[in-house]
Amino acid sequence: MLVIVLENAPPRLRGRMAMWLLEIRAGVYVGNYSRKVREMLWRHVEVGLEDEEGNAVMAWKANNEAGFDFMTLGKNRRIPKEVDGAKLISFLPVDNAPDEAL
Amino acid sequence: MNPLLPDIAPIPIKERLSLLFVERCHVDVVDGAFVMIDKDGVRTHVPLGGIACLMLEPGVRISHRAVHLAATTGTLLVWVGEAGVRLYSAGQPGGARSDKLLYQAKLALSEQGRLKVVREMYRRRFQEEPPANRSVAQLRGIEGSRVKKSYELLAKQYGVTWRGRRYDADSWDHSDLPNQCISAATSCLYGVCEAAILAAGYAPAIGFIHHGKPLSFVYDIADVYKFDSVVPLAFKIAAQSPTHPDRAVRIACRDLFRERHLLSKIIPDIEEILAVGGEEPPKPPEDGVAPAIPNKQGIGDVGHRT
């Protein structure tokens, strides 16, 4: 199982993802492929988002404690954070938020 | 200037969905993706790269770019008539690997090699050693009577009236229900086998038991699986007399292919069957000219063009 979520991606990258994956919601792609195909898909994402504002995340079934792994690309308020070997997500505050709001 | 996306290249057959049928729509490319558009303008994306064999039914118009895209992803396009009977195929050209073709031809031309391959096909098919010291013609005779019997046996088992395997490719409706179901089921199997043979780099026309047809080798390989997979399934569906037999057969075939892991088995099986022939794959001629520009290394199967 493999999920890729694209935000703010150019149409040609979205079209490219639809070559192998199913777009179940805007920018949300699912499929079931091996590591090699996953790496190939991610290369397309990397190139497709180069010089673009967009961002992407890919999650897949993996043989680890969580049962899945993920990787991200581009700017997003949610960033991966490692805690004692487990991968979690940190949610960053909005850049221009006033200090007292925190 | 935006950088170009990496080239599209085929992925292995074993990772793909076996079959998808497309009917009554316009097939085109939108934003680089394969899209079917129906009469109301509704767009449905098809993950073409993740499909082994796309069956185009009557009423489909397909654009030049869409066919080109299918060739790039190594997806076999099969134009089918009513109820999935095959008409024409394209999109995944074979013959990309001369070493594979020469190996297959060498086996087919060698009397001993061919007999060994044929015996191995029968051994796999009937799960027993074929009688010793028989020629290919004798083995075919034995096979013919066994096939006839297994049709009768299956008909009895599923309580279906059986008057022999009769079909007319030109008029689907004239054959009886069990025959219609068998035709629909075998054409599904042939589609998958053809896609696998091409992806493995072999020629569909060079058969060992069958000969003289563009798909002789496809029939050879399909026969290895046919009688313990799609034929019983066709009888089972015929016994239920569904409203849309071809649709019921298709769905059941896809489930069966997935359950049996047919797409991961088929290419290794082809290699094993041919290996029994005992011929060495031919070596490239020493005085030949090797490619000036090395071939790109893809992640697809060996017969895929990258």
Side-chain angles (χ1 to χ4, degrees):
Chain A
M1 183 72 178
L2 161 75
V3 181
I4 294 179
V5 179
L6 301 179
E7 277 175 2
N8 214 353
R12 62 205 181 98
L13 177 61
R14 297 183 55 175
R16 188 55 70 86
M17 288 296 106
M19 283 302 299
W20 299 280
L21 304 165
L22 213 60
E23 188 171 11
I24 52 171
R25 282 291 182 272
V28 181
Y29 299 84
V30 291
N32 188 18
Y33 292 113
S34 70
R35 183 181 59 87
K36 273 190 177 165
V37 176
R38 186 174 72 230
E39 287 168 358
M40 177 273 283
L41 291 167
W42 194 247
R43 261 197 313 280
H44 286 268
V45 174
E46 284 171 337
V47 178
L49 288 181
E50 218 171 281
D51 307 333
E52 300 273 346
E53 287 291 285
N55 67 82
V57 61
M58 174 169 72
W60 64 92
K61 188 181 149 78
N63 197 10
N64 58 21
E65 221 177 353
F68 64 88
D69 203 349
F70 63 91
M71 60 204 291
T72 61
L73 187 76
K75 267 202 190 129
N76 194 290
R77 283 175 68 201
R78 289 179 174 81
I79 54 164
K81 185 187 170 72
E82 204 195 290
V83 181
D84 302 333
K87 260 167 112 179
L88 301 177
I89 287 281
S90 293
F91 192 39
L92 302 181
V94 187
D95 287 341
N96 56 1
D99 281 355
E100 52 268 31
L102 295 173
Chain B
M1 173 66 197
N2 288 320
L4 289 172
L5 288 174
D7 288 339
I8 295 175
I11 67 170
I13 286 282
K14 63 166 190 258
E15 291 195 44
R16 305 190 191 198
L17 203 77
S18 57
L19 297 163
L20 196 76
F21 285 80
V22 168
E23 62 166 4
R24 281 195 294 274
C25 65
H26 181 74
V27 179
D28 214 329
V29 175
V30 177
D31 290 335
F34 198 81
V35 177
M36 28 191 220
I37 305 158
D38 73 6
K39 61 178 191 332
D40 302 317
V42 177
R43 291 185 194 171
T44 309
H45 277 89
V46 177
L48 186 72
I51 292 167
C53 180
L54 190 73
M55 308 285 242
L56 305 171
E57 292 188 275
V60 170
R61 287 192 301 151
I62 184 163
S63 74
H64 181 279
R65 279 191 73 200
V67 178
H68 176 246
L69 199 57
T72 322
T73 56
T75 303
L76 181 67
L77 296 179
V78 179
W79 278 260
V80 295
E82 259 173 293
V85 178
R86 184 185 184 284
L87 299 172
Y88 175 74
S89 74
Q92 194 201 27
R97 285 283 298 261
S98 67
D99 55 337
K100 294 277 180 183
L101 294 179
L102 291 169
Y103 173 55
Q104 188 186 1
K106 197 176 168 190
L107 279 165
L109 287 170
S110 132
E111 207 173 309
Q112 275 306 308
R114 175 170 168 245
L115 182 62
K116 282 183 193 160
V117 169
V118 170
R119 288 182 63 86
E120 177 64 14
M121 284 172 172
Y122 284 136
R123 199 185 64 73
R124 283 171 179 257
R125 183 158 154 194
F126 300 118
Q127 269 118 45
E128 61 179 43
E129 205 59 47
N133 299 323
R134 297 291 199 284
S135 68
V136 172
Q138 286 168 323
L139 288 170
R140 277 187 47 211
I142 301 169
E143 180 243 350
S145 62
R146 282 186 81 148
V147 164
K148 221 172 140 190
K149 221 172 278 161
S150 65
Y151 276 134
E152 282 161 12
L153 220 67
L154 283 166
K156 204 184 271 174
Q157 190 185 333
Y158 288 103
V160 174
T161 323
W162 181 248
R163 286 184 294 271
R165 180 82 178 105
R166 273 181 229 145
Y167 54 93
D168 182 354
D170 298 324
S171 59
W172 154 262
D173 288 327
H174 284 177
S175 53
D176 56 12
L177 181 66
N179 271 303
Q180 282 180 9
C181 289
I182 293 170
S183 299
T186 48
S187 66
C188 289
L189 181 62
Y190 293 155
V192 172
C193 288
E194 188 182 357
I197 287 167
L198 291 169
Y202 294 108
I206 305 175
F208 292 82
I209 301 170
H210 297 82
H211 67 90
K213 289 268 193 178
L215 296 184
S216 297
F217 193 47
V218 174
Y219 303 142
D220 280 2
I221 294 299
D223 276 355
V224 172
Y225 308 105
K226 199 159 145 185
F227 285 89
D228 70 343
S229 59
V230 295
V231 173
L233 180 137
F235 275 105
K236 194 173 148 192
I237 287 164
Q240 297 159 353
S241 348
T243 347
H244 301 288
D246 45 328
R247 203 181 115 78
V249 165
R250 242 171 242 182
I251 294 168
C253 277
R254 243 195 340 238
D255 287 346
L256 183 87
F257 298 158
R258 204 194 55 236
E259 273 166 32
R260 300 273 177 96
H261 303 286
L262 186 69
L263 275 94
S264 1
K265 278 204 310 206
I266 200 158
I267 292 179
D269 280 354
I270 293 170
E271 299 291 356
E272 282 169 34
I273 290 168
L274 294 182
V276 174
E279 294 281 349
E280 286 291 313
K283 289 189 178 59
E286 277 169 26
D287 52 356
V289 179
I293 302 157
N295 288 322
K296 268 190 262 172
Q297 275 288 311
I299 57 170
D301 293 307
V302 294
H304 281 139
R305 294 166 194 237
T306 46

